[in-house]
């Protein structure tokens, strides 16, 4: 499963012993429509997304429910400041999930025995329970993007097929790019990459920002004409390739630059290679044209 997590070996060693909780439990109270008095956060949740759990209701609300729906257990306390950062995000994501998983909130002060059974040494502490058993966990506050990935892994472990949720951070960055606010778009993409390194969509977006800046103010036809008249003018060829990519002729742009790699050496060759790799980033690694161009580039280099 995805990070963040603690090693799953604590489960296989039997460190989390829930057997004492597998006893007939009274009928649980209905799930809260919002956080209880003193609970962190303020997300409004439906009866199938967020529930407050006690030792008396744990079997029904967590163990039995997890046989059909993954349950994420959030151990928190009123005095815990980090909990006030994490819990509202968990609540919002649970509501957003629409019942694909359930958030079970456990106040450690009111339920010390549950915290002891789960070996909770610090809060916030979050466990995923699937099929009646803990399957993964993490402690502390994590970025929302990382939390979304972790929840997706929990859902997969529970056999839940769900559409990958959109990333509002990317939507914001893409909107800035489409509106021409390149500075805002760059800041947004870089922020995503700081939180989620190697995010392919953010890397592609950042490469598009660079492309947009390079072609700003250029006359497309004049640039292509200049490149045709100066086959060994590196800057003219790079600009022509950028324009071709923007015009939907990426394969032609790749071929142009692979040919230029063959005809250049030293710093010029490296400059062209890096530019071409940047254009590959825009399309993404799964693009067949990129795969073919990468093979051609390797042949040109070696």
């Amino acid at each position: 499963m995805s990070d963040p997590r603690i090693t799953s070996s604590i489960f296989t060693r039997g460190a989390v012993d829930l057997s004492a909780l597998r006893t007939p439990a009274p009928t649980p109270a209905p799930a809260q429509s919002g956080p209880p008095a003193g609970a962190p956060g303020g997300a409004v949740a439906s009866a199938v997304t967020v529930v407050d759990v006690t030792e008396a209701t744990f079997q029904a609300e967590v163990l039995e429910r997890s046989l059909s729906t993954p349950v994420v257990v959030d151990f928190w306390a009123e005095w815990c400041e980090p909990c006030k950062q994490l819990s509202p995000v968990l609540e919002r994501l649970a509501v957003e999930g629409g019942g694909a998983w359930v958030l079970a909130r456990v106040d450690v002060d009111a339920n010390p025995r549950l915290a002891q059974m789960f070996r909770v040494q610090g809060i916030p502490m979050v466990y995923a329970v699937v099929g009646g058993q803990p399957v993964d966990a993490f402690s502390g506050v994590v970025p929302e993007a990382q939390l979304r990935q972790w929840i997706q892994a929990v859902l997969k472990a529970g056999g839940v097929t769900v559409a990958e949720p959109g990333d509002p951070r990317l939507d914001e960055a893409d909107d800035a790019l489409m509106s021409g606010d390149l500075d805002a778009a760059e800041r947004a993409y870089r922020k995503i990459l700081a939180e989620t390194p190697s995010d392919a969509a953010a890397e592609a977006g950042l490469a598009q920002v660079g492309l947009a800046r390079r072609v700003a103010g250029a006359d497309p036809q004049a640039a292509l004409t200049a490149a045709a008249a100066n086959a060994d003018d590196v800057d003219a060829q790079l600009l022509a390739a950028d324009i071709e990519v923007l015009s939907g002729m990426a394969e032609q742009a790749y071929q142009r630059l692979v040919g230029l790699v063959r005809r250049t050496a030293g710093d010029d060759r490296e400059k062209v290679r890096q530019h071409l790799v940047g254009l590959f980033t825009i399309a993404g690694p799964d693009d067949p044209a990129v795969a073919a161009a990468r093979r051609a580039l390797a042949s040109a280099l070696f």
Side-chain angles (χ1 to χ4, degrees):
M1 294 182 67
S2 301
D3 286 332
R5 65 176 178 227
I6 57 177
T7 173
S8 59
S9 64
I10 66 170
F11 304 130
T12 58
R13 290 199 308 268
V16 179
D17 182 6
L18 306 181
S19 59
L21 297 173
R22 300 181 187 279
T23 56
T27 302
Q32 300 282 342
S33 59
V44 177
S46 74
V48 295
T49 56
V50 181
V51 62
D52 293 294
V53 175
T54 65
E55 184 178 333
T57 63
F58 189 88
Q59 177 175 321
E61 294 288 15
V62 175
L63 300 183
E64 294 178 6
R65 189 190 297 274
S66 74
L67 298 177
S68 58
T69 304
V71 178
V72 172
V73 185
D74 175 24
F75 289 91
W76 66 278
E78 166 66 24
W79 47 264
C80 171
E81 290 300 321
C83 297
K84 295 175 183 177
Q85 299 177 45
L86 180 66
S87 294
V89 179
L90 283 169
E91 293 165 20
R92 175 163 51 79
L93 295 182
V95 174
E96 181 182 301
W101 59 281
V102 172
L103 174 65
R105 299 180 296 203
V106 177
D107 182 339
V108 296
D109 288 338
N111 300 277
R113 188 162 174 257
L114 283 178
Q116 182 180 14
M117 288 183 173
F118 275 84
R119 301 293 176 92
V120 175
Q121 297 180 345
I123 54 174
M125 184 79 190
V126 178
Y127 277 84
V129 180
V130 174
Q133 294 293 329
V135 295
D136 207 358
F138 70 88
S139 61
V141 179
V142 301
E144 180 175 331
Q146 199 172 355
L147 187 55
R148 286 177 178 273
Q149 293 176 351
W150 185 80
I151 290 171
Q152 286 297 307
V154 169
L155 293 178
K156 290 178 182 177
V160 178
T161 302
V162 294
E164 292 290 333
D167 189 335
R169 302 172 307 160
L170 279 173
D171 292 340
E172 178 185 352
D174 291 344
D175 287 346
L177 177 61
M178 295 300 293
S179 69
D181 191 344
L182 301 183
D183 290 341
E186 179 178 1
R187 287 194 299 270
Y189 288 127
R190 289 194 183 281
K191 184 174 185 294
I192 294 170
L193 290 170
E195 297 171 350
T196 316
S198 301
D199 184 294
E203 289 178 340
L206 194 58
Q208 289 180 67
V209 170
L211 176 62
R213 285 184 171 142
R214 293 195 300 269
V215 302
D219 181 326
Q221 190 54 55
L224 293 174
T225 300
N230 301 278
D232 294 325
D233 184 326
V234 171
D235 290 336
Q237 296 302 318
L238 296 183
L239 179 56
D242 285 343
I243 289 171
E244 286 169 338
V245 168
L246 281 176
S247 302
M249 298 184 292
E251 290 185 65
Q252 186 170 321
Y254 302 157
Q255 292 170 7
R256 178 188 294 276
L257 296 190
V258 168
L260 190 57
V261 166
R262 295 183 188 278
R263 301 194 304 274
T264 53
D267 291 343
D268 281 346
R269 185 185 229 199
E270 179 60 15
K271 180 178 181 180
V272 177
R273 186 196 68 80
Q274 290 183 2
H275 196 100
L276 180 54
V277 171
L279 294 181
F280 290 161
T281 302
I282 295 174
D286 297 330
D287 189 311
V290 168
R294 283 192 181 278
R295 290 192 294 270
L297 175 60
S299 176
L301 289 170
F302 305 107

